[in-house]
Amino acid sequence: MFRTALRNVLAHKARLLMTVLAVMLGVAFVSGTLVFTDTLGNAFRNQSAKSYDNVAVSIETYTGDDEKNPGIDDATLEKIRGVDGVASATGRVNGFAGVADPDGKLIGNGWSNTGANFSPGKDGKDTQYDFVEGSGPVKNGSVALDKDTASKGKYKVGDPVRVATNGPVKEYTLSGIFTTEDGAVNAGGSLVLFDTPTAQQLYLKPGFFQNATVSAAAGVSDRKLLDEIEPLLPKDATAQTGKALADQQAKDIESGLTSLNTMLLAFAGIALFVGIFLIANTFTMLIAQRTRELALMRAIGATRRQVKRSVLLEAAFVGALASVVGFLLGLGLATGLRSAMGLLGGKIPAGPLIVSPTAVVSAFAVGILITVLAAWLPARRAAKIAPVAAMSSVHATASVKSLVVRNSIGGVITLLGSAGIVGGAATGGTSGRQLVAAGAFFALIGVIILIPLLSRPVIALVRPLLKKVFGVSGKLASQNAVRNPRRTGATASALAIGLTLVTGISVLGVTLGQAIDKMTTDNIKADYLVSMASGDSLDESALTALSKADGVSALSPQQAAWFEVDGDYFSASGVTPGDVEQVFSLTTESGSLSTLEDGQVAIGSKTAKKHGWKTGDTLPVTFDNDKKGELKVGATYRENEFLSPFVIPKEMADKYSASTRPEIREIWIKADGGASKANEQSIVDALGDNPAMSVMDRQDIRDMFGGFINTALNIMYGLLAMALLIAVLGVVNTLAMSVFERQQEIGMLRAIGLDRGRVKRMIRLEAVVISVFGAVIGVGLGVFLGWAIGRTLSADIPGYALVIPWDRLGIFLLLAGLVGVLASLWPARSAAKLNMLTAIKTE
C-alpha cells in the first residue's frame, strides 16, 4: 500500500499541483512569519545588549520641568564617580530635536526625532557614538548628526544646520557625523547631539541630567556597585544593573513583537483554512476517478484500513513536498519583509537570518497535518467503497440521507451563529464583540455546510440569463455548475471565506472612516491646525507669533489642564475666550460662552448632567498645582470631540498649572478668506519656517484621521490576498478535474456540433458562475458581520451610521468574475483541444 500511495502521487502530479501550491503558500506564510519575527527579535536583542556592554549600572529619573523632580545634579554625579570601583559615570539628557532637509521639510517621522548631549571622556570620545567625520560638539552653536540624517539632508561637516526643538528653530554648525545603534535612528528618526550645557538648557535645566550610566573598573561586581550607588540617588531615581536593563529591554522587544507575530499567523491560519477546501476537493475528485481501482484493491484483499492509510500516505507525501518548498519560500518571504521595512524607513540592526527549530517544526507540522486532515474525509469515503463498485460507474452520487443530515446540521449551526451575531450587535461593547466573533465563526461554518444546498436555487436564478445571452454554452455551463453540488460548494466556499473577511473589513472601515470624517467637519470651524510633529507641546512663543501673523482672524490654543472636583479628576481645555467659538463648533445649551472672559468655565452637557451641575453653580476645585479655589459655571455646551469636558480661559490654565511650561497641544486658526496658499505661507513664516511644526488645513485634518483607517484597510487587503489566491487555485483545480472527468461528454458535444469556441465559453462560464456564486455568499455574510461589529462600536463613535460601500462591493463581484475567467484559461484550453474520437472512447 505504501508503494501504491507513492505511485499515485507520481501518477497524478499535474492534478496535485494546485494542492501543493495551496499548502506551500500557507506554510510559506507561517514559516516566513516565525523566521521574520525571530530575526527581528534577535537583531534588536543583540543591539540592546551591545548598547549596555560597558554599562555596569544604569540610573533613570522621572524628571519634570518643576522643582519637585529636577533629575540628577552634577554634585550627585561627582559622588557616584567617587565610589570605589567606578571607572566612569556619564550623565545623559535628551528630548525632541528635528532637522530640516534642503527644502525645509522635517527629516524623519517626528516621534523618533531626538536630541541628546555629547559627553566626552578624558580621551575626548563618547563611547556611545563612533564618528566617521569630524568630531563631537563641545561648544555652544555646534551639533553632530547621525550618518543617515546627514545623508538625507546632504550635510557635510562645517555646513549650517537648522534644528528645531520645542522652541523656535535655530541654526547650528555641523561639527561631526557619527554612527550609532540608537533605537530612534533605527526606527527611521534622527539624532542630534548638542554640547552638554546646551542640551541641559533645552531639555531640563542647567546642571541636571535625566539619567546616567556607570561603568565598572576591571574585576568589580555590577551588583556591588549598584548597592553602593543607590543610597546616593535622589528619591525619584531608580537604578539597575546594565544586564538587568538589557534583559528587560529584550522582554519588552519580545512582547512588542508578539502582537505582530499573532496578526501575521492569524492571516496564515485563514489562508490554510481556505486551503483545506482545495485539498479536500482535490482528494475527493481523485478518489472519485479511482473508484474502480480502489474497489478492485478491496476485491483482491486490501482491507478498509489499508485503503484509508494509502490515501492518507498520499496526502502526507504531498504535504511534505509542499512543506519543503513552502519553508524555502518562507525564508525568502522573511528576507523580503526585512528589506521592505528598510524601504519604509525602519532600520533593522544587522544580524543573521534566524531559523529556529520552532519555525522548522511548525512549518512541516502545519503543512503535513493540514494536508492529512483535509484528506481524511475523502480517505474515509474511499475505504467504504465495496468491491462490487468495480463494476459500476465511477460517478457515485451522495445518498439522500447524507444530504438531509448535512443540511440539517448546517441549518442549526447557521441559526446558532446568526443568533450570536445579532445578540452581540444588540449587547455592544467588548462583550458584544466577543459574542459577534463567536457567532461569526459558527455562521461561517454553517454557511459552508449549506453552500451545496444553496448552489442549486441561487445558480438557477441566473440560468435563464446565461441561456439567453450565451445560448447552449450558457445553458450547459449552468447545468455543469450544479451537477455536483458538493464540489461546487467546496470550491465556492474558499472564495466565500476570503470575501467575507474582505467585505466585513471594508464595510467597517468605510463606516468608521465616514463617521470620523463627519465628526471632524461637524466639530471644527478652524481653517488650520498647528501642532508639533513629535506630538509634544508647542512653545508659548508659537502662540505669540501666530497672533501677529497676517490673515489670522481668530486663534485659540487647546491647552491641557487638570483639576479635582468632589474627589473626581477632570481634564480641561485652556482656550482663548471669544475666539474659541470661531474655531470650534460649540452649541450652547445654557448660559453663555462669553462668561469665559469673566473667568468662568463652560462644561459639556453630558458631564454636567451626570454630576448634577448647572449654570450658575460654584464648584470647589483642587488645581493641578495643589492650590484650592472655586469655579463658577457660566455655560453648558453640547460636547465637542476636540475639547475636554471643561473649557476654561487660557489664563486660568496658566495660573494653576503645576508645570512652568504651558502644555499647548494644538493651536487652531481661523483665517481671513478661509484656507489659501497665501494664508498658509503667512502662518509658516510666522512660525519661523520651523520644520518640526505641522500646519494642516481642514482637508489635511480629515486625511489625518481617516488615513489610519485607509492604511489599515490596505494592509488587511494585502494579507488576505493570499487566501484569495488559494481560492483561485481551487477554481482552477476544480475545473481541471471536471474537464478530465467529462472527457467523454465533451467529445460527444464536439461530435454533435459544439465547436471549440463554444466549448471554451462553456468552461469559462462555469468558472464565472462558481466564482460569482461564492462571491455573493461572501459579500452578503461580510456585510452582515460589518454591520454587527459596527453596532458594537457605535456607542463610542459620535455620528455613527452604517455605510455600505456599494462601489467596492461591485468591484469585488467583478473581480470574482475576472477570477473565474482567469482560472478557466487552462482548463478551457485543455477541453477545446480534446480529440473528439479519443474522448468518446475514454471511460
Side-chain angles (χ1 to χ4, degrees):
M1 298 305 292
F2 179 84
R3 288 197 299 271
T4 301
L6 184 59
R7 178 185 63 81
N8 284 327
V9 171
L10 297 176
H12 301 108
K13 295 186 288 292
R15 301 182 209 170
L16 292 168
L17 176 62
M18 300 303 171
T19 298
V20 171
L21 287 174
V23 179
M24 179 187 74
L25 289 172
V27 169
F29 213 149
V30 171
S31 58
T33 295
L34 293 175
V35 171
F36 173 64
T37 51
D38 286 346
T39 299
L40 212 60
N42 180 72
F44 282 117
R45 280 192 294 271
N46 288 343
Q47 180 195 55
S48 177
K50 183 179 179 182
S51 299
Y52 295 101
D53 269 349
N54 299 317
V55 176
V57 177
S58 175
I59 305 165
E60 186 174 355
T61 63
Y62 301 94
T63 57
D65 53 1
D66 56 5
E67 296 298 328
K68 294 181 181 178
N69 302 306
I72 303 169
D73 58 19
D74 287 329
T76 301
L77 205 57
E78 282 302 319
K79 290 179 183 177
I80 294 171
R81 291 188 180 112
V83 171
D84 187 33
V86 170
S88 65
T90 305
R92 301 291 181 185
V93 61
N94 57 70
F96 169 76
V99 180
D101 66 13
D103 297 325
K105 303 297 183 182
L106 182 68
I107 297 174
N109 46 33
W111 58 268
S112 61
N113 290 345
T114 57
N117 65 307
F118 176 70
S119 184
K122 293 179 181 178
D123 59 358
K125 297 181 180 179
D126 189 325
T127 56
Q128 285 202 5
Y129 312 107
D130 294 322
F131 278 81
V132 294
E133 291 182 43
S135 59
V138 292
K139 61 180 181 179
N140 186 21
S142 62
V143 295
L145 296 178
D146 67 273
K147 185 178 178 181
D148 289 345
T149 301
S151 176
K152 291 173 185 176
K154 300 178 181 178
Y155 289 117
K156 296 180 180 179
V157 173
D159 286 350
V161 180
R162 297 178 70 247
V163 179
T165 55
N166 287 329
V169 64
K170 292 182 179 179
E171 193 171 277
Y172 298 85
T173 300
L174 184 61
S175 66
I177 298 171
F178 59 89
T179 59
T180 177
E181 294 296 326
D182 188 274
V185 176
N186 287 326
S190 62
L191 178 60
V192 182
L193 295 182
F194 301 91
D195 64 284
T196 295
T198 300
Q200 289 176 326
Q201 183 68 44
L202 286 171
Y203 300 127
L204 197 57
K205 59 188 302 184
F208 285 86
F209 299 94
Q210 291 160 320
N211 47 61
T213 55
V214 179
S215 61
V220 178
S221 162
D222 292 356
R223 185 72 231 182
K224 175 179 177 296
L225 281 186
L226 178 65
D227 292 339
E228 293 187 22
I229 288 171
E230 280 186 317
L232 305 177
L233 302 178
K235 62 180 181 180
D236 67 301
T238 59
Q240 56 185 320
T241 63
K243 184 180 184 305
L245 186 58
D247 291 343
Q248 181 59 49
Q249 286 200 1
K251 288 181 181 178
D252 292 342
I253 290 167
E254 186 174 345
S255 176
L257 291 174
T258 298
S259 57
L260 174 64
N261 201 27
T262 301
M263 182 185 73
L264 291 175
L265 287 177
F267 283 97
I270 292 168
L272 288 167
F273 184 60
V274 172
I276 287 175
F277 293 94
L278 189 158
I279 299 164
N281 219 13
T282 301
F283 277 93
T284 297
M285 290 185 282
L286 286 174
I287 288 166
Q289 293 168 11
R290 288 158 43 198
T291 301
R292 290 186 178 182
E293 176 190 328
L294 293 170
L296 282 170
M297 289 174 65
R298 290 291 315 282
I300 62 174
T303 64
R304 287 187 174 184
R305 181 175 295 179
Q306 284 178 312
V307 171
K308 183 178 179 180
R309 192 183 302 149
S310 173
V311 176
L312 292 179
L313 277 172
E314 191 176 335
F317 282 131
V318 172
L321 174 63
S323 297
V324 171
V325 180
F327 183 75
L328 295 175
L329 189 61
L331 296 180
L333 179 63
T335 304
L337 286 172
R338 183 171 180 171
S339 300
M341 285 191 68
L343 292 174
L344 292 173
K347 183 182 176 184
I348 300 175
L353 202 65
I354 302 300
V355 183
S356 66
T358 302
V360 177
V361 171
S362 297
F364 281 85
V366 164
I368 295 171
L369 287 177
I370 287 293
T371 312
V372 171
L373 176 65
W376 181 81
L377 193 57
R380 186 170 175 269
R381 289 179 187 153
K384 287 184 176 182
I385 297 173
V388 73
M391 296 177 291
S392 65
S393 170
V394 298
H395 302 296
T397 305
S399 67
V400 174
K401 179 182 176 183
S402 68
L403 290 175
V404 169
V405 171
R406 176 187 177 123
N407 295 335
S408 299
I409 293 172
V412 170
I413 294 176
T414 303
L415 286 174
L416 180 65
S418 300
I421 293 170
V422 173
T427 304
T430 303
S431 57
R433 285 190 286 278
Q434 292 172 346
L435 194 56
V436 169
F441 175 76
F442 285 107
L444 196 57
I445 296 298
V447 168
I448 289 168
I449 295 173
L450 287 175
I451 272 185
L453 175 67
L454 297 172
S455 63
R456 289 187 182 275
V458 173
I459 293 175
L461 294 175
V462 298
R463 185 177 299 163
L465 178 63
L466 290 173
K467 182 178 178 181
K468 183 177 180 180
V469 176
F470 300 102
V472 66
S473 295
K475 180 181 179 180
L476 290 171
S478 62
Q479 290 174 342
N480 290 335
V482 293
R483 175 183 292 183
N484 190 327
R486 284 186 173 178
R487 182 185 301 172
T488 298
T491 306
S493 293
L495 271 172
I497 293 167
L499 281 173
T500 294
L501 298 172
V502 169
T503 302
I505 290 169
S506 297
V507 170
L508 187 61
V510 172
T511 298
L512 293 179
Q514 291 209 12
I516 291 172
D517 188 66
K518 186 175 185 299
M519 179 184 72
T520 304
T521 54
D522 287 353
N523 286 287
I524 296 173
K525 290 182 180 178
D527 296 310
Y528 293 102
L529 164 64
V530 175
S531 61
M532 290 294 295
S534 61
D536 292 334
S537 300
L538 288 155
D539 191 78
E540 183 84 28
S541 61
L543 193 63
T544 303
L546 288 170
S547 66
K548 301 174 182 177
D550 294 335
V552 173
S553 59
L555 82 160
S556 175
Q558 213 279 55
Q559 182 171 324
W562 296 267
F563 46 70
E564 181 184 350
V565 184
D566 296 331
D568 293 326
Y569 282 92
F570 295 90
S571 63
S573 295
V575 300
T576 303
D579 284 5
V580 66
E581 302 100 310
Q582 297 183 55
V583 296
F584 292 109
S585 296
L586 293 174
T587 303
T588 305
E589 298 197 349
S590 66
S592 172
L593 290 173
S594 62
T595 56
L596 290 172
E597 298 182 15
D598 302 324
Q600 298 182 27
V601 300
I603 307 178
S605 55
K606 290 182 182 178
T607 302
K609 184 177 180 180
K610 179 180 177 181
H611 293 86
W613 298 327
K614 59 183 182 299
T615 303
D617 286 354
T618 300
L619 309 179
V621 174
T622 302
F623 292 99
D624 188 34
N625 61 358
D626 294 331
K627 292 184 179 179
K628 297 184 181 295
E630 292 183 340
L631 296 179
K632 186 174 181 180
V633 181
T636 61
Y637 64 94
R638 189 181 303 162
E639 263 81 357
N640 185 299
E641 299 302 318
F642 292 88
L643 292 170
S644 299
F646 277 76
V647 173
I648 64 176
K650 182 185 182 306
E651 289 75 8
M652 182 182 293
D654 292 338
K655 181 179 179 181
Y656 294 108
S657 174
S659 172
T660 57
R661 185 171 179 271
E663 190 173 337
I664 302 174
R665 296 171 178 168
E666 304 148 351
I667 299 176
W668 297 85
I669 301 170
K670 188 71 175 175
D672 292 327
S676 67
K677 288 185 178 180
N679 284 333
E680 182 173 345
Q681 190 60 50
S682 175
I683 292 169
V684 170
D685 291 343
L687 295 171
D689 196 14
N690 192 323
M693 292 185 183
S694 170
V695 179
M696 292 183 285
D697 60 22
R698 296 186 71 178
Q699 186 58 51
D700 292 332
I701 297 168
R702 293 166 68 180
D703 292 343
M704 175 181 67
F705 287 104
F708 171 77
I709 292 176
N710 291 330
T711 300
L713 277 177
N714 291 333
I715 292 172
M716 295 294 183
Y717 290 155
L719 292 172
L720 288 171
M722 185 172 291
L724 293 174
L725 177 59
I726 292 173
V728 173
L729 295 176
V731 178
V732 176
N733 214 18
T734 298
L735 290 173
M737 293 289 191
S738 180
V739 168
F740 179 82
E741 287 179 355
R742 288 153 39 198
Q743 288 186 66
Q744 189 179 58
E745 175 189 317
I746 293 169
M748 290 294 294
L749 290 171
R750 289 290 314 282
I752 62 175
L754 195 68
D755 60 28
R756 289 184 175 183
R758 282 189 285 182
V759 169
K760 285 184 179 180
R761 191 179 304 133
M762 176 185 71
I763 302 298
R764 194 175 298 124
L765 287 172
E766 183 180 345
V768 171
V769 167
I770 294 173
S771 299
V772 174
F773 166 62
V776 168
I777 298 295
V779 166
L781 190 55
V783 170
F784 183 39
L785 290 177
W787 163 81
I789 297 172
R791 291 297 304 169
T792 66
L793 298 168
S794 59
D796 302 320
I797 302 175
Y800 174 89
L802 178 67
V803 179
I804 298 179
W806 296 108
D807 53 344
R808 298 194 189 194
L809 301 189
I811 290 172
F812 295 158
L813 294 176
L814 287 174
L815 287 175
L818 180 61
V819 161
V821 172
L822 295 176
S824 68
L825 292 178
W826 173 49
R829 188 167 177 267
S830 300
K833 278 188 168 185
L834 286 175
N835 182 291
M836 66 181 74
L837 294 178
T838 304
I840 290 170
K841 292 188 293 181
T842 302
E843 295 186 4

